[in-house]
Amino acid sequence: MYKSLLLSLLLFCVFLSAPSSASGIHDYNFKVSRGDAFYKFFFSAGLSGQLLKKMMASDERAQRLNNIYPGDKFKITLNDNHELDQVLYSPVNDNPLLISYDGKSFSYRKERIQPIGELSHTIITIKKSLNYDAKKAGIGADVVKMMVDNFSWEIDFSKDLRKGDKFMLSWNGEKTPIAMVYVGNKKTIALFLYKNNLNQSKYYTFKGVTLNDTFTFAPTKYNRISSSFTKRRFHPTLKIYRSHRGTDFAAPSGTPVFAPAKGIIKYKATLSGYGNVVYLKHGSDYVTVYAHLSKFAKGLKSGKKIKKSELIGYVGSTGQSTGPHLHYEIRINGVHQDAEKIILPKQSFVPTNAMPEFQKRARRILKVLNEG
Ligand SMILES: [Zn+2]
């Protein structure tokens, strides 16, 4: 692990040192580091500001060069007269862009391959906890949070991790890993970074889907919403004003209640106010609550993984309740949200036309991880 970190550091430093001409005397190779701008590379290759201006004005695709990121690479090739022949721009997370110049005009071509530069990887072996062991492996808190945000949709970090489980992170010179792989004794989950057309990066499984789920609006078939989310309302049983931090779905007793998205049962109890209640955790940030249930679904217990639309219980009137209804809550990081108004994130997909390339890239990353 140290070896690979050192190696990546070494490679990074090699690329930092000004124009190299490794592949021929007319090739100038550059790797972008923080604060770099394309014109610096252009000038380093001995080309003029006038030509740069002409190139930037030649096509809107040239504007992409104003948005370069650490880890991106450039190869500027000159002809025998030391005039510009072509610029090959290879961003870390996008297809390479080839700009050719014939002495008069520029032509543009987007290469289909997503290149993978020199990959390095970090392996976190669980001995105590993800937080502890990741820190020991030199992984920053922001990356750990990203891991937890993604994997929590499938892994219960408080219960599922075992000594010896591994998290493998694959890097391509950027701050965020291009792949994150969990290898447990029961299952393996591999996630790959993909940047969509809107420049949003997310982690996707090999099948091209994010691990997070899309929530359905109501967890039960209901007749009407008998009470909306409000900060202050008159409580008919308690005869006092108090807030209602959930949504009440009126439905006959015994109507099935289904999980609106996949999750893990966090808590199941019978309480004086809520009656029979279930807390379902979705990912690291979301918790949904189902109160006044007449009964729980069979086999429901804390820690159980629940699929979207799986039965969790039946509408009832247990606890402090005036009649059969489902009291439903959505909490994000502990803060109650209005289920009728909140817009929840949806599951994302890699576009179908990008899938062959995405999977090819994913296979290559896994191969490197395997060999590493
Ligand atoms: Zn309620």
Side-chain angles (χ1 to χ4, degrees):
M1 192 275 304
Y2 278 108
K3 221 171 89 183
S4 66
L5 276 179
L6 277 175
L7 184 69
S8 71
L9 195 68
L10 196 73
L11 285 164
F12 192 67
C13 292
V14 167
F15 274 99
L16 276 178
S17 58
S20 71
S21 48
S23 50
I25 51 161
H26 302 313
D27 285 344
Y28 290 81
N29 290 293
F30 305 95
K31 183 162 176 175
V32 178
S33 47
R34 211 158 297 283
D36 273 342
F38 171 66
Y39 73 86
K40 279 165 57 182
F41 307 138
F42 202 78
F43 294 161
S44 296
L47 299 165
S48 72
Q50 206 182 357
L51 186 64
L52 178 65
K53 232 171 146 183
K54 186 178 169 185
M55 188 179 101
M56 294 310 278
S58 66
D59 191 291
E60 62 179 14
R61 279 170 288 184
Q63 299 309 311
R64 184 66 181 82
L65 304 179
N66 288 325
N67 258 317
I68 61 177
Y69 297 96
D72 289 357
K73 286 178 195 167
F74 285 97
K75 186 165 106 175
I76 298 176
T77 307
L78 307 185
N79 64 22
D80 289 338
N81 296 325
H82 293 273
E83 290 157 345
L84 179 64
D85 181 45
Q86 60 180 39
V87 175
L88 175 65
Y89 170 46
S90 306
V92 171
N93 283 319
D94 198 2
N95 290 330
L97 176 68
L98 183 69
I99 307 173
S100 306
Y101 185 57
D102 62 6
K104 281 182 191 147
S105 58
F106 292 91
S107 59
Y108 291 76
R109 186 155 59 93
K110 204 154 189 189
E111 299 283 315
R112 279 187 57 250
I113 351 119
Q114 286 212 4
I116 303 168
E118 54 291 333
L119 288 183
S120 62
H121 52 266
T122 311
I123 297 174
I124 303 165
T125 305
I126 300 301
K127 288 180 185 132
K128 269 190 177 175
S129 70
L130 177 63
N131 274 316
Y132 178 86
D133 296 308
K135 199 175 171 186
K136 271 187 75 180
I139 302 304
D142 47 343
V143 172
V144 173
K145 186 181 182 297
M146 211 157 55
M147 293 167 71
V148 172
D149 283 351
N150 280 278
F151 286 114
S152 287
W153 285 92
E154 293 290 336
I155 302 170
D156 183 349
F157 278 89
S158 64
K159 288 198 172 77
D160 292 348
L161 287 195
R162 296 283 175 270
K163 264 187 189 172
D165 284 2
K166 285 180 171 53
F167 286 92
M168 301 162 97
L169 305 177
S170 193
W171 308 86
N172 202 6
E174 289 214 65
K175 259 176 73 183
T176 47
I178 58 163
M180 314 192 285
V181 183
Y182 164 72
V183 184
N185 62 351
K186 280 189 191 145
K187 61 180 168 186
T188 299
I189 306 166
L191 300 176
F192 306 91
L193 196 69
Y194 174 78
K195 197 189 269 179
N196 67 15
N197 293 337
L198 302 168
N199 235 10
Q200 296 164 324
S201 292
K202 282 179 188 166
Y203 289 94
Y204 297 82
T205 66
F206 187 75
K207 287 178 177 165
V209 295
T210 53
L211 282 188
N212 70 300
D213 208 350
T214 303
F215 285 78
T216 49
F217 170 68
T220 188
K221 200 173 162 230
Y222 63 100
N223 296 328
R224 63 192 174 89
I225 290 174
S226 52
S227 176
S228 288
F229 183 97
T230 163
K231 293 266 152 72
R232 192 169 180 267
R233 72 157 184 173
F234 186 70
H235 195 282
T237 314
L238 299 176
K239 309 266 186 244
I240 52 160
Y241 279 94
R242 70 175 213 187
S243 61
H244 183 237
R245 300 195 295 172
T247 303
D248 289 350
F249 293 104
S253 198
T255 307
V257 175
F258 303 104
K262 71 176 167 184
I264 296 165
I265 302 290
K266 196 182 151 198
Y267 185 58
K268 173 196 136 183
T270 302
L271 306 174
S272 60
Y274 276 153
N276 293 329
V277 65
V278 173
Y279 285 61
L280 192 52
K281 192 169 183 278
H282 316 268
S284 54
D285 299 341
Y286 304 88
V287 169
T288 50
V289 178
Y290 312 81
H292 312 309
L293 300 172
S294 57
K295 56 179 192 167
F296 300 110
K298 256 190 191 162
L300 205 76
K301 60 171 195 234
S302 172
K304 186 176 189 259
K305 296 205 171 58
I306 300 287
K307 293 192 192 85
K308 181 176 176 154
S309 305
E310 191 172 333
L311 181 72
I312 49 179
Y314 301 89
V315 172
S317 193
T318 55
Q320 261 169 34
S321 167
T322 48
H325 74 280
L326 175 70
H327 170 91
Y328 176 55
E329 291 178 16
I330 298 177
R331 302 177 187 178
I332 302 180
N333 292 317
V335 180
H336 292 74
Q337 307 290 334
D338 185 344
E340 290 177 77
K341 290 189 182 139
I342 185 82
I343 296 166
L344 297 165
K346 291 187 167 126
Q347 188 171 42
S348 304
F349 302 86
V350 173
T352 315
N353 60 4
M355 274 301 278
E357 203 51 58
F358 170 79
Q359 293 195 327
K360 197 172 135 195
R361 194 163 165 269
R363 268 193 213 101
R364 280 188 63 190
I365 294 169
L366 288 179
K367 196 166 166 260
V368 174
L369 270 177
N370 249 332
E371 287 162 356

